[in-house]
Every structure is written in structure tokens, then in C-alpha cells.
Amino acid sequence: MSTQEHDASVYEQVQGSAEFQDLKRRFRRWTFPMTVAFLAWYLLYVVLSGWARDFMGIKLWGDINVGLVLGLLQFVSTFLIAWAYSRHAEKSLDPIADKLRHEVEEKTK
């Protein structure tokens, strides 16, 4: 068995392991719903901007209107999602990924 074949079989073994499947499941359980939620929130902003101009133009404080506030909240939500994912990954994904990486490194030496 060549080194390349050996490496491929190691990676295939890891990919088929229960730990790797758990890692993928944890990743998808967090990212897919969060992606859908963010895209829905963004689409709502775009739709309101295009078809609810009167609502988006309501002044809240001086020249600050609903559209400006919702637009700025898009940035805030982006940073909050990135922060939340970082916490999720550190707690739920990184320990499993580190363990799998060490196993692969040991097998490919």
C-alpha cells in the first residue's frame, strides 16, 4: 500500500467514524437554522425597503428612520451571529475536531 493510499484510507476511516458524524451533525444543527434565520431577516429588510417605503421612512429620532435602524441592525446581527458561532464552535466542535486531528496525525506518521 503506497503512502497516498494509506493516507486516503485513514481519512476515509475518520470520515466514517461515529465521532466525525457527530461533529458534522453538531455543525449542521447550528449553522443551517442560523443561516435560514439570517437570510429570512435579510430578505425581510430587502422586501421592506422595496415595498414598504412609507414604513421604512418613519422618522424615529431626528433624521434617523426605521430603514436606517434596520440596516444598522443587519451589521449588529452579523457580528452577534459570528460571536455566537465562535462560542458554539469552541464548546461543541473544537474538542471533537482536535481529537480527530490528533488521531489522523498519529496514523499518518
Side-chain angles (χ1 to χ4, degrees):
M1 181 181 287
S2 72
T3 304
Q4 188 174 17
E5 289 171 352
H6 174 71
D7 289 349
S9 65
V10 169
Y11 296 121
E12 289 167 353
Q13 288 173 4
V14 170
Q15 184 180 8
S17 72
E19 288 176 318
F20 185 77
Q21 297 305 315
D22 182 46
L23 178 65
K24 286 189 343 182
R25 181 186 54 78
R26 289 176 187 222
F27 174 78
R28 289 177 180 157
R29 271 188 30 208
W30 198 93
T31 54
F32 288 175
M34 190 59 67
T35 300
V36 169
F38 180 78
L39 288 175
W41 158 236
Y42 177 73
L43 183 60
L44 174 67
Y45 175 71
V46 170
V47 168
L48 289 174
S49 295
W51 286 281
R53 292 181 180 261
D54 292 339
F55 171 71
M56 296 293 269
I58 295 173
K59 293 195 179 209
L60 300 174
W61 305 281
D63 288 334
I64 298 174
N65 60 22
V66 172
L68 180 62
V69 170
L70 291 180
L72 291 174
L73 286 175
Q74 291 288 317
F75 290 101
V76 172
S77 64
T78 300
F79 288 110
L80 287 175
I81 290 169
W83 172 77
Y85 176 76
S86 175
R87 288 180 48 105
H88 168 72
E90 185 177 359
K91 184 179 93 178
S92 299
L93 304 177
D94 291 350
I96 298 170
D98 287 341
K99 183 175 185 268
L100 290 171
R101 186 185 78 243
H102 290 300
E103 287 176 13
V104 169
E105 287 172 351
E106 288 298 317
K107 291 179 182 179
T108 56
K109 280 186 178 181

